[in-house]
Amino acid sequence: MSSLFSIGTSGLNAAQLGLKTVANNISNAGTDGYSRQSTIQVERPGQYAGRYTVGSGVDVVAVQRAYSQYLTTALWNANSGLQNATTANALASTLNGVFSGSGDLQGALDDFYAGFSTVANAPGDAGARQSLLGEAAAVTQVFNTLSGQFDQQRSQLNGQISDTVADINGTVDKIAALNLKIAQAGASAPNDLLDQRDGLVKQLAGYTGISTASQPDGTLSIYSSSGQVLVNGGYAYGFKTGTDAYDAGRTVVLDAAGNDISGRLSGGSLGALLDYRSQVLDPAQNALGRAALALAGSVNAQQAKGLDLNGQQGAPIFSVPAPAVSASTRNTGGATVGASISDLSQLTGADYVLTRTDTGWTLATTDGQNVSLTVNADDSLSAAGLTFNVSGTAASGDSFLIRPTRAAAGKLAVAMSDPS
């Protein structure tokens, strides 16, 4: 039978451990990621003494974290959304600064059209004609500058994407290492290791959207929004970076097998970087290029309807850049594709992928919407205000990226030098 001294000692030991736990809670009240702890006490098995049972004291069986998987997961998701929104806002603010600080496009256009009015009122004035060409040069300079700012931000995005992927990979390595320690400790895994792992998962969620699954051995499996395994037990997989199949200057995110998953990632700062580039920056530069093409096309068309001072048909004031065509690095055939604009009014600002199949050519926007192709009498192809000329032999599966307007603002130039 337990002595009174033994029972009392068990109570003192339990109380002492409880005080240590409370003291630890107070000491870490300001520690980020610390979970409040409490002792779990159970009654010692009683001892039978004839007609009754006598208690034998108390034992502390665990020091447990105040923890809710639901609330912890909600915190991870909230951090993912917060970092996504914060990054997107910073990028959009930068873009807004580009437009407000890289030249007055509206003012340049107003001056350009005012120059036409001056020439119309004094057709024989060489000075007015020369001034108009100067205003045309000023307009092209603003378009060129704005396009250059877009290219610069895109280059900066490449670096940010690479840095974020490196941060992700470093974080998943640490989580995998903690998984090993926790699995080795089993049910007695120290609370500080669990807190550290939760803190790293929160940090990871700030980089990219994730989902998690707890395993029986205490480890945590983590998956990206694209479905890729990032952490499994003590193994870390992470992401890789590479270059786009059509554009060597465009950084993309790859899975462990080398597949481009940039379009399937969401959440966190990485998701914001990728979404901003594809949903904001690219369309904005395409729209700017479309405006440049519309200006050049309409002015040149009007020029062609009149005569110059030498009695000749009016020559183009602007040179109109041709659409950019990029072959995929995965192409195995020997074909090349040239593209030209046949109808400016049909340009939408979209980019296209022209693909060779077993039965012919297909065209789709980069977001997957099919576009009807017309085969012309000279075997060229037409669609969406564009004409494509294919030279050489393409293999089935070969593809080409068509960007009708992306570089137009950057390459817009004044073609006329003689004011007459």
Side-chain angles (χ1 to χ4, degrees):
M1 181 179 295
S2 299
S3 66
L4 183 61
F5 178 77
S6 175
I7 295 174
T9 300
S10 72
L12 288 173
N13 289 336
Q16 184 180 42
L17 188 54
L19 287 173
K20 287 182 178 179
T21 302
V22 170
N24 191 51
N25 288 337
I26 295 172
S27 300
N28 287 282
T31 302
D32 184 40
Y34 176 80
S35 299
R36 184 176 58 83
Q37 300 175 6
S38 60
T39 57
I40 305 301
Q41 299 180 180
V42 296
E43 182 184 7
R44 285 180 177 176
Q47 296 184 354
Y48 183 65
R51 292 175 295 170
Y52 51 85
T53 300
V54 178
S56 55
V58 65
D59 282 323
V60 176
V61 295
V63 178
Q64 181 174 286
R65 297 189 301 161
Y67 179 79
S68 165
Q69 181 63 54
Y70 172 79
L71 293 178
T72 301
T73 301
L75 176 63
W76 294 341
N77 292 335
N79 191 47
S80 181
L82 173 63
Q83 297 306 319
N84 184 275
T86 300
T87 303
N89 180 67
L91 293 169
S93 297
T94 301
L95 182 63
N96 185 57
V98 166
F99 278 104
S100 61
S102 298
D104 180 7
L105 180 57
Q106 185 60 58
L109 289 171
D110 290 343
D111 291 342
F112 178 56
Y113 290 124
F116 271 117
S117 192
T118 302
V119 171
N121 292 329
D125 187 347
R129 288 169 169 266
Q130 188 64 58
S131 177
L132 174 60
L133 291 181
E135 300 298 347
V139 169
T140 61
Q141 180 62 43
V142 176
F143 272 113
N144 295 163
T145 300
L146 287 171
S147 183
Q149 292 291 333
F150 280 116
D151 291 336
Q152 182 179 354
Q153 190 177 33
R154 187 174 287 102
S155 178
Q156 292 171 346
L157 280 173
N158 286 339
Q160 290 176 280
I161 291 170
S162 296
D163 291 344
T164 305
V165 167
D167 290 336
I168 289 171
N169 292 342
T171 304
V172 297
D173 286 342
K174 293 176 183 177
I175 294 172
L178 284 173
N179 265 349
L180 276 178
K181 293 180 180 180
I182 291 169
Q184 291 168 355
S188 59
N191 289 324
D192 61 321
L193 294 184
L194 299 174
D195 283 346
Q196 288 177 38
R197 187 177 66 182
D198 286 350
L200 287 171
V201 175
K202 176 186 174 184
Q203 181 178 327
L204 179 63
Y207 294 135
T208 185
I210 59 171
S211 59
T212 62
S214 299
Q215 304 301 324
D217 61 355
T219 62
L220 193 67
S221 296
I222 304 177
Y223 309 89
S224 72
S225 55
S226 66
Q228 179 192 348
V229 177
L230 293 177
V231 179
N232 184 24
Y235 296 95
Y237 299 95
F239 297 130
K240 300 177 183 177
T241 55
T243 55
D244 185 82
Y246 301 102
D247 184 355
R250 188 181 183 90
T251 299
V252 296
V253 182
L254 310 173
D255 62 17
N259 300 309
D260 184 355
I261 56 173
S262 302
R264 307 201 321 258
L265 292 172
S266 61
S269 56
L270 180 61
L273 292 169
L274 295 171
D275 285 345
Y276 172 80
R277 183 175 64 182
S278 61
Q279 303 298 323
V280 178
L281 187 62
D282 290 348
Q285 190 168 15
N286 285 358
L288 181 69
R290 187 183 178 197
L293 290 173
L295 171 70
S298 60
V299 169
N300 289 348
Q302 192 65 34
Q303 275 286 105
K305 295 178 181 179
L307 301 177
D308 62 21
L309 290 183
N310 300 316
Q312 303 297 318
Q313 182 181 18
I317 288 182
F318 296 103
S319 62
V320 180
V325 180
S326 304
S328 171
T329 56
R330 302 186 182 93
N331 289 358
T332 58
T336 58
V337 173
S340 60
I341 298 173
S342 54
D343 187 348
L344 278 170
S345 66
Q346 292 187 36
L347 294 183
T348 63
D351 295 329
Y352 304 91
V353 176
L354 183 68
T355 305
R356 178 68 188 186
T357 67
D358 292 334
T359 57
W361 291 93
T362 62
L363 186 69
T365 61
T366 50
D367 58 4
Q369 297 181 8
N370 292 325
V371 179
S372 178
L373 268 176
T374 299
V375 180
N376 302 317
D378 60 356
D379 291 331
S380 64
L381 306 169
S382 296
L386 301 168
T387 298
F388 309 108
N389 292 283
V390 181
S391 302
T393 304
S396 181
D398 285 359
S399 60
F400 299 83
L401 176 65
I402 317 296
R403 290 172 172 165
T405 63
R406 178 70 55 83
K411 293 183 177 180
L412 184 68
V414 176
M416 180 180 290
S417 58
D418 184 357
S420 297

